[in-house]
Amino acid sequence: MPIMYANPQERLLDEKTLPVVVQELKQRAALGLDSDSIVCDPSSSGLTLEVALQLAELLQPRTGLFALDLSLNRINVNSWDDVCRLARGFLDAVEYLDLSLNYLPSLQSLTQDKVAEKELKGFRDTLSLGSDCNSFCGDPDVDNCTRNARRFKQEAYGFEYDGWS
């Protein structure tokens, strides 16, 4: 089972509190724990796009994170280019990233941006943009988002989805 770091003070993460959380996370990783199983869960912490980009800069590849759950924040992204930039920054530091339930562009608009679509598909199952509780609907893009969300929950939290379709 992964070791969790979940913003224990339940701080709203902004420019002032972000360095404190990153320092706590680095201290947790430095305790000699198995760094391949640390999951950071600052979901619902009020992260905006600007603060999330700062967090990506602060989390160097050697921070020791396995998965980062940024779901349910206030990350308001107007273009798929920004989603790619954000994912690129984090996926250099973690194995799995969840950006679901933020304010992302509609999935249907991704087909209009072929460059972003190709880059996001290149992240394969390491990037979660959708909800894990959706049923499969037959649309390959939507179903892929659901699969990736479930993969994130399985890898990060050990959830099982036997029998779900």
Side-chain angles (χ1 to χ4, degrees):
M1 190 63 164
I3 298 162
M4 295 295 301
Y5 172 85
N7 188 12
Q9 304 302 318
E10 295 185 11
R11 302 174 190 91
L12 217 57
L13 297 181
D14 59 20
E15 292 84 5
K16 290 181 237 170
T17 58
L18 193 60
V20 174
V21 169
V22 170
Q23 186 59 37
E24 288 174 355
L25 183 58
K26 287 179 179 180
Q27 288 171 346
R28 164 72 49 100
L31 290 175
L33 302 171
D34 180 8
S35 63
D36 288 340
S37 65
I38 295 177
V39 175
C40 184
D41 182 4
S43 62
S44 304
S45 296
L47 278 173
T48 63
L49 175 60
E50 295 76 25
V51 177
L53 288 168
Q54 286 178 351
L55 178 59
E57 289 175 18
L58 291 171
L59 292 178
Q60 292 119 17
R62 298 291 174 223
T63 304
L65 280 182
F66 175 67
L68 181 61
D69 186 345
L70 296 180
S71 63
L72 293 165
N73 274 288
R74 297 179 186 159
I75 301 172
N76 191 349
V77 181
N78 295 319
S79 74
W80 285 107
D81 290 336
D82 285 338
V83 175
C84 289
R85 185 168 51 116
L86 191 59
R88 205 177 311 118
F90 282 115
L91 288 171
D92 284 341
V94 300
E95 294 292 319
Y96 291 93
L97 174 65
D98 186 0
L99 292 175
S100 65
L101 303 174
N102 281 288
Y103 302 98
L104 305 178
S106 71
L107 186 60
Q108 292 80 3
S109 69
L110 182 57
T111 59
Q112 298 165 3
D113 188 338
K114 297 297 181 191
V115 173
E117 182 180 31
K118 182 178 179 182
E119 183 173 1
L120 289 173
K121 284 185 178 182
F123 293 128
R124 295 178 300 285
D125 62 352
T126 61
L127 176 63
S128 170
L129 298 173
S131 173
D132 65 311
C133 60
N134 291 339
S135 295
F136 293 126
C137 66
D139 180 316
D141 293 327
V142 174
D143 288 350
N144 190 47
C145 282
T146 302
R147 258 188 229 89
N148 289 352
R150 290 179 185 181
R151 174 69 184 240
F152 178 86
K153 297 291 194 269
Q154 286 173 328
E155 294 294 332
Y157 301 116
F159 287 7
E160 293 296 329
Y161 292 95
D162 294 334
W164 273 43
S165 59

